[in-house]
Amino acid sequence: DAGITQSPRYKITETGRQVTLMCHQTWSHSYMFWYRQDLGHGLRLIYYSAAADITDKGEVPDGYVVSRSKTENFPLTLESATRSQTSVYFCASGALLNSPLHFGNGTRLTVT
Amino acid sequence: QKEVEQNSGPLSVPEGAIASLNCTYSDRGSQSFFWYRQYSGKSPELIMSIYSNGDKEDGRFTAQLNKASQYVSLLIRDSQPSDSATYLCAVSSPNNNDMRFGAGTRLTVKP
């Protein structure tokens, strides 16, 4: 089925651990985004990618790493998780910058 | 100043009333504007997109854009309890080459 899939849906990890959140889309959209959502802050942009091998920082990139070796995948890695990174993470994709975004179901990450 | 700002609410309206949601943005080069609805525990879903000044209507929803004032709004007519959700304004800018969201406005429609 066409769509955008995030995994895992839920993740609990310990402070200092490395965690990777996966995002896969089947539309061959050029643009992909990672957002985090916390109460009172709405969706804050972490990183985005305009095409394979092109990534750029958003509003809150510190502590995160991304890669995009293939158009359909855009993993987000927390190199050394901190409690402040406890959040709901959404991946989204769009055909063009001015296209509406399609969102995955989100990953709820808890760092203990 | 945040790039996209919304009244955080909460906004409460009675069933059948008009709900008015507002959003301002800071980047004058912004070209594309979107309203998303997000139910609790769910991912955002697109309601409206608007690209040029004026009004755009889709059923009970009307989006209004004023680029000179850097202002975009969403009107929901004949509000229903099922419209109770958080509404997110999103703006894309060629200057940033990204898509930014406001903090969202929580709407409650009371029967």
Side-chain angles (χ1 to χ4, degrees), chain B residues 69-103:
Chain B
S69 300
Q70 295 174 245
Y71 174 90
V72 58
S73 66
L74 179 70
L75 299 177
I76 306 175
R77 289 182 301 281
D78 189 23
S79 295
Q80 301 297 309
S82 58
D83 295 326
S84 298
T86 296
Y87 289 80
L88 299 163
C89 173
V91 178
S92 71
S93 166
N95 292 334
N96 294 331
N97 200 35
D98 66 18
M99 181 86 72
R100 300 288 175 104
F101 283 76

Side-chain angles (χ1 to χ4, degrees), chain A residues 39-62:
Chain A
L39 276 175
H41 290 281
L43 289 166
R44 289 186 291 176
L45 181 63
I46 304 171
Y47 269 96
Y48 64 99
S49 169
D53 297 321
I54 300 174
T55 63
D56 211 341
K57 297 178 180 179
E59 302 170 81
V60 289
D62 292 345

Side-chain angles (χ1 to χ4, degrees), chain A residues 31 35 37 48 59 98 101, chain B residues 32 36 38 96-97 99:
Chain A
Y31 281 83
Y35 295 91
Q37 188 170 39
Y48 64 99
E59 302 170 81
N98 60 357
L101 296 184
Chain B
S32 306
Y36 290 83
Q38 185 178 26
N96 294 331
N97 200 35
M99 181 86 72

